[in-house]
Amino acid sequence: MPELGPRDHEDASQRAEFQLFLRQRGIRSNNVLRALETVPRTMFVPDEMAPHAYADRALPIACGQTISQPFLVAYMTEQLELNDTHKVLEVGTGTGYQTAVLARIGRRIYTIDRYRTLVSAAEARLQSLRITNVTAMPGDGAQGWPAQAPFDRIMVTAAADQIPKPLIDQLAEGGIMIIPVGTGDQRLMKVVKGEDGKLTEKSLMAVRFVPLVAGRAASL
Ligand code: SAH
């Protein structure tokens, strides 16, 4: 795990540049911009990828997965319309980078990944950033987290062929879910559950995520 050290300053100036880039790309929410500024992305990418940490592209991580492109992390978080009263479910912990961003804004984050090794590594990173409002567990996120439902917000960072029914059921009335959907061509969807329980779906953009795979990973 990278310790905070001499590279911090370098990282801070990279992060300032990164802010500018996100603003230019149309990210407006101050909450989101501040959250991305205060989470050091270099801590979340493999050491050999550190020079590319702030490049606007997805990077390979452990277990054959990827850490999302930073613009998309900012955009998806902005679309989630998150605030500090919200209880959030995240499916696809990965490195924990998106989790850390959610944790800077939301009240309480529950995050699931099918790889135990990814969950443990993400927990260690969050701990070293002194982020304490996150609970992580290995499991099949397509089943949601029934014991903690309902959730005000749900963020899914792996692509499902259809929106899993348990996630719809576990979304609170008035809640918002952001989820990539599709097997070949994927669309990023925003699902809003009205106070009457009625769903409204909006397609936001074309995206490319790793697939949401049913069940827990057997060995890792
Ligand atoms: N948000 C992450 C990147 C996620 S990549 C980050 O910021 O680093 C997608 C993740 O979804 C992978 O780690 C993969 O293991 C996980 N995943 C895929 N199918 C899943 C499922 N059914 N339940 C939980 N996690 C799943």
Side-chain angles (χ1 to χ4, degrees), residues 19-220:
Q19 287 287 298
L20 202 63
F21 162 76
L22 292 173
R23 281 178 200 278
Q24 281 164 352
R25 285 291 309 265
I27 303 298
R28 289 283 167 268
S29 158
N30 283 328
N31 276 345
V32 173
L33 289 165
R34 206 172 314 120
L36 271 104
E37 188 180 23
T38 58
V39 178
R41 193 167 155 92
T42 34
M43 261 188 63
F44 292 82
V45 304
D47 286 348
E48 66 277 17
M49 293 289 169
H52 309 293
Y54 291 94
D56 193 36
R57 57 183 171 97
L59 297 171
I61 61 166
C63 302
Q65 305 302 314
T66 52
I67 179 172
S68 303
Q69 170 195 358
F71 166 71
L72 213 48
V73 172
Y75 179 77
M76 289 170 72
T77 309
E78 186 165 65
Q79 288 296 327
L80 204 58
E81 301 177 32
L82 185 60
N83 69 42
D84 62 6
T85 69
H86 292 145
K87 180 176 180 178
V88 184
L89 174 67
E90 181 193 34
V91 175
T93 315
T95 62
Y97 177 68
Q98 171 75 79
T99 321
V101 169
L102 294 172
R104 291 278 195 231
I105 310 173
R107 176 168 60 85
R108 178 102 226 146
I109 319 299
Y110 294 85
T111 184
I112 311 181
D113 200 286
R114 54 195 296 277
Y115 288 100
R116 179 178 294 278
T117 43
L118 292 180
V119 169
S120 309
E123 280 180 314
R125 292 185 186 102
L126 296 169
Q127 209 170 25
S128 77
L129 288 173
R130 296 190 175 78
I131 290 174
T132 55
N133 56 338
V134 174
T135 310
M137 75 165 179
D140 181 4
Q143 305 305 316
W145 194 316
Q148 289 297 339
F151 298 96
D152 304 302
R153 298 290 185 264
I154 298 180
M155 170 76 90
V156 183
T157 62
D161 41 359
Q162 283 174 12
I163 303 174
K165 172 120 186 349
L167 299 185
I168 294 174
D169 294 343
Q170 290 171 34
L171 186 62
E173 286 183 5
I176 299 177
M177 168 162 40
I178 301 293
I179 179 168
V181 180
T183 36
D185 292 333
Q186 300 170 6
R187 303 288 309 177
L188 187 64
M189 303 298 295
K190 179 171 185 168
V191 181
V192 181
K193 194 184 254 189
E195 300 294 347
D196 52 2
K198 202 168 147 278
L199 294 182
T200 316
E201 291 181 23
K202 185 176 162 196
S203 167
L204 299 173
M205 62 161 81
V207 284
R208 227 159 84 201
F209 277 84
V210 297
L212 187 78
V213 180
R216 245 173 86 172
S219 56
L220 295 164

